[in-house]
């Protein structure tokens, strides 16, 4: 049985989990039950945890957009940093320290300006955004509760994990949605930021399995979860277009660079400086050796398969709902 926390909104914000309802049309719950709550409200967290008395808690809640965290720095700190403390304190207040296992969604953005390549559990942190800095507090407060109170608490330092359910304002989903719209004749061109940013991209399905595995061990430990492969935003664009039969040729430099379709001559991609971060993270590459050895975990979905799945899903979505 799974319990979740959902924020109150004037519009439905459960689109990515509709399929988990017993009756998706009527929002009738089955083995998944949602509670209204918020990581900025400690009272509701205590109330929910005391009522549910969970055996495992996965803290996946966050203001998770790195670029937006520069605009919403205080809110990001409140939710991503102090929000984690509120959850841990709620466990303690409810007397569940000895019966709950706690998973904290840490992030490769902790490494930011990388101090070694590839990055592993012992690599020094150097966050480059309010998001990364807030997550750094969350990381260490989890370690503190583990050491101070013997709570079974772990940090999963997950590198970028994507899927067709990724939010529409994240770069991978922005690319797959835009490419789908271009394929269907609903769009001509879209803009991106730093095309040369390189990331270690994996599939969310694989990474969620790793989260679960971390809580099935005998002793709580922190793990890096990654594929070990690095690809640029530019490469993600090229492979997405290739999947719909278009070859992208790059022309110009910096903000004047464009991606032109070799077959038609049309410009489909431009660069807009507003999508750049004030402090950029240029390169992230994870080393998941520890997870392979101790969790017997390894990524199954390849980068090419991930790109194809996301583009195919968005082609289907945009065909049925062009305004999505």
């Amino acid at each position: 049985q799974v319990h979740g926390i959902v924020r109150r909104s004037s519009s439905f914000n459960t689109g990515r989990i509709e399929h988990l309802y017993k009756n998706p049309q009527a929002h009738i719950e089955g083995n998944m039950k949602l509670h209204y709550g918020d990581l900025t409200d400690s009272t509701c967290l205590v109330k929910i945890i005391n009522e549910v008395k969970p055996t495992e808690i996965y803290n996946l809640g966050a203001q998770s957009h790195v670029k937006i965290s520069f605009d919403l720095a205080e809110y990001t700190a409140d939710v991503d940093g102090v929000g984690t403390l509120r959850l841990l304190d709620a466990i303690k207040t409810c007397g569940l320290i000895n019966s709950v296992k706690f998973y904290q969604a840490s992030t490769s953005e902790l490494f930011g300006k990388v101090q070694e390549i590839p990055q592993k559990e012992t690599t020094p942190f150097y966050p480059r955004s309010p998001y990364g800095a807030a997550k750094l507090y969350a990381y260490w407060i989890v370690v503190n509760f583990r050491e101070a109170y013997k709570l079974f608490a772990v940090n999963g330092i997950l590198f970028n994990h994507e899927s067709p359910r990724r939010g529409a304002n994240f770069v991978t989903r922005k690319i797959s949605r835009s490419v789908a719209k271009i394929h269907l004749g609903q769009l001509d061109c879209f803009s991106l930021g730093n095309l040369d940013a390189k990331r270690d991209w994996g599939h969310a399905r694989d990474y969620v399995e790793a989260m679960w595995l971390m809580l099935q061990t005998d002793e709580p430990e922190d793990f890096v979860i990654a594929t070990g492969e690095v690809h640029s935003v530019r490469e993600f664009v090229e492979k997405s277009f290739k999947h719909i039969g278009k070859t992208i040729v790059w022309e110009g430099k910096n903000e004047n660079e464009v991606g032109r379709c070799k077959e038609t001559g049309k410009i489909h991609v431009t660069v807009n400086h507003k999508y750049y971060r004030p402090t950029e993270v240029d390169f992230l590459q994870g080393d998941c050796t520890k997870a392979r050895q101790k969790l017997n975990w390894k990524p199954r979905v390849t980068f090419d398969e991930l790109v194809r799945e996301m583009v195919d899903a968005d082609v289907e979505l945009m065909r049925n709902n062009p305004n999505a």
Side-chain angles (χ1 to χ4, degrees):
Q1 190 177 58
V2 175
H3 292 257
I5 293 177
V6 60
R7 280 174 295 162
R8 160 75 182 117
S9 171
S10 58
S11 57
F12 282 116
N13 55 0
T14 54
R16 287 183 284 179
I17 55 171
E18 294 288 346
H19 62 293
L20 297 176
Y21 284 100
K22 183 178 179 181
N23 183 331
Q25 282 72 42
H27 281 180
I28 294 174
E29 297 167 334
N31 288 333
M32 176 193 71
K33 180 174 175 58
L34 297 180
H35 305 259
Y36 281 114
D38 199 292
L39 284 170
T40 62
D41 185 340
S42 56
T43 303
C44 78
L45 298 178
V46 170
K47 181 181 171 212
I48 293 167
I49 289 173
N50 192 54
E51 176 188 332
V52 174
K53 291 186 169 51
T55 52
E56 296 179 351
I57 294 178
Y58 295 83
N59 180 25
L60 313 182
Q63 190 301 103
S64 59
H65 198 285
V66 178
K67 174 67 166 65
I68 291 171
S69 78
F70 286 93
D71 300 317
L72 298 176
E74 182 183 336
Y75 175 74
T76 301
D78 194 15
V79 174
D80 302 12
V82 184
T84 303
L85 173 62
R86 292 188 185 102
L87 267 178
L88 293 167
D89 263 336
I91 293 170
K92 188 161 163 277
T93 299
C94 295
L96 299 177
I97 285 283
N98 296 320
S99 59
V100 165
K101 291 186 173 183
F102 181 85
Y103 172 85
Q104 166 63 17
S106 284
T107 168
S108 57
E109 290 286 330
L110 291 175
F111 298 117
K113 190 175 181 181
V114 298
Q115 302 299 291
E116 69 174 337
I117 295 173
Q119 297 90 55
K120 50 184 181 288
E121 289 81 5
T122 55
T123 302
F125 297 135
Y126 196 142
R128 297 266 283 172
S129 65
Y131 169 76
K135 284 286 192 176
L136 184 62
Y137 174 84
Y139 173 93
W140 284 116
I141 202 64
V142 167
V143 172
N144 183 250
F145 266 67
R146 182 168 69 212
E147 295 177 352
Y149 306 112
K150 303 297 181 265
L151 172 67
F152 191 112
V154 303
N155 286 290
I157 307 173
L158 273 54
F159 281 63
N160 294 58
H161 38 291
E162 314 295 327
S163 85
R165 294 199 187 104
R166 176 57 114 172
N169 62 345
F170 287 79
V171 67
T172 50
R173 186 76 197 291
K174 183 177 181 180
I175 293 168
S176 64
R177 288 175 81 251
S178 300
V179 168
K181 283 177 172 282
I182 288 169
H183 178 62
L184 296 171
Q186 299 169 2
L187 184 73
D188 289 326
C189 185
F190 65 100
S191 297
L192 295 171
N194 183 7
L195 295 170
D196 295 313
K198 293 181 172 65
R199 293 291 184 271
D200 184 329
W201 275 304
H203 198 295
R205 183 167 57 238
D206 289 340
Y207 286 42
V208 170
E209 181 193 18
M211 295 179 195
W212 179 79
L213 285 170
M214 286 179 218
L215 294 196
Q216 312 315 308
T217 59
D218 294 329
E219 295 295 328
E221 293 184 74
D222 304 324
F223 289 91
V224 162
I225 303 298
T227 69
E229 287 185 22
V230 175
H231 302 274
S232 65
V233 173
R234 186 187 300 275
E235 189 177 348
F236 202 107
V237 171
E238 292 168 353
K239 286 187 179 292
S240 297
F241 274 106
K242 184 179 180 182
H243 187 52
I244 62 165
K246 289 180 178 287
T247 307
I248 292 296
V249 178
W250 302 101
E251 302 172 359
K253 286 186 177 182
N254 301 323
E255 288 182 49
N256 296 318
E257 188 169 11
V258 298
R260 190 184 298 274
C261 176
K262 183 178 178 182
E263 290 76 18
T264 65
K266 288 184 178 179
I267 292 175
H268 289 317
V269 186
T270 60
V271 173
N272 191 325
H273 197 266
K274 78 174 184 178
Y275 297 121
Y276 279 72
R277 304 172 185 176
T279 39
E280 191 62 59
V281 174
D282 297 314
F283 185 96
L284 291 173
Q285 180 182 18
D287 178 355
C288 67
T289 301
K290 181 180 176 182
R292 286 177 182 270
Q293 293 173 347
K294 293 199 171 186
L295 301 178
N296 196 28
W297 177 88
K298 63 179 181 181
R300 296 188 180 94
V301 182
T302 67
F303 178 70
D304 285 9
E305 289 169 342
L306 170 65
V307 173
R308 289 197 297 269
E309 182 183 334
M310 290 184 69
V311 172
D312 285 342
D314 273 326
V315 168
E316 186 68 20
L317 176 66
M318 298 306 158
R319 182 179 282 129
N320 296 325
N321 185 7
N323 296 319

